[in-house]
Amino acid sequence: MYLAMNRFTVPLENAAEFEELWLSRESRLQDMDGFLSFHMLKGPENEGAILYASHTVWQSEAQFRSWTTSEEFRASHARAGQSRKLHEGAPRFEGFTAIQQIDARQTA
């Protein structure tokens, strides 16, 4: 399993617009081999900004890398440059390979 995350620091005055941009965008992730899940996470407020993280889970790093060079990736990020910049600096990318997984117990 491979987890890919981008972290964004968003000034409070841009938070609502930033969230709307993410909630209204068309995702093509479901079309990709190896895609397992996506979450947009809202973190704590600190010094007038909120930390957000986009978080995707893939079967493998190779499948994630294929996503980043795909037509689906380009299409889903097409609007990214059309709106004003809502976050501070560049998104901070972090990628992780799972070395252990513990799942919830299934109850019947």
Side-chain angles (χ1 to χ4, degrees):
M1 182 181 77
Y2 186 76
L3 185 141
M5 183 183 310
N6 277 304
R7 295 177 0 146
F8 304 86
T9 301
V10 179
L12 282 175
E13 62 270 14
N14 295 346
E17 190 175 350
F18 181 83
E19 289 180 20
E20 178 57 30
L21 178 69
W22 278 90
L23 294 172
S24 65
R25 67 187 261 174
E26 182 181 345
S27 174
R28 305 282 174 95
L29 289 165
Q30 300 91 331
D31 300 334
M32 299 302 299
D33 289 336
F35 169 74
L36 298 174
S37 67
F38 171 83
H39 297 92
M40 174 50 90
L41 308 172
K42 182 177 181 177
E45 177 187 330
N46 187 21
E47 297 180 8
I50 298 175
L51 178 64
Y52 289 87
S54 66
H55 168 278
T56 55
V57 181
W58 299 84
Q59 290 175 350
S60 71
E61 182 176 357
Q63 289 167 316
F64 164 73
R65 298 284 173 207
S66 289
W67 155 248
T68 64
T69 60
S70 70
E71 192 59 42
E72 291 86 352
F73 180 90
R74 285 186 286 284
S76 68
H77 290 82
R79 288 182 29 210
Q82 295 175 354
S83 61
R84 70 182 179 93
K85 187 173 174 186
L86 301 173
H87 55 85
E88 299 172 353
R92 180 178 170 193
F93 175 79
E94 298 169 319
F96 302 90
T97 300
I99 61 169
Q100 182 182 32
Q101 179 174 333
I102 300 172
D103 294 320
R105 292 186 184 170
Q106 300 297 318
T107 58

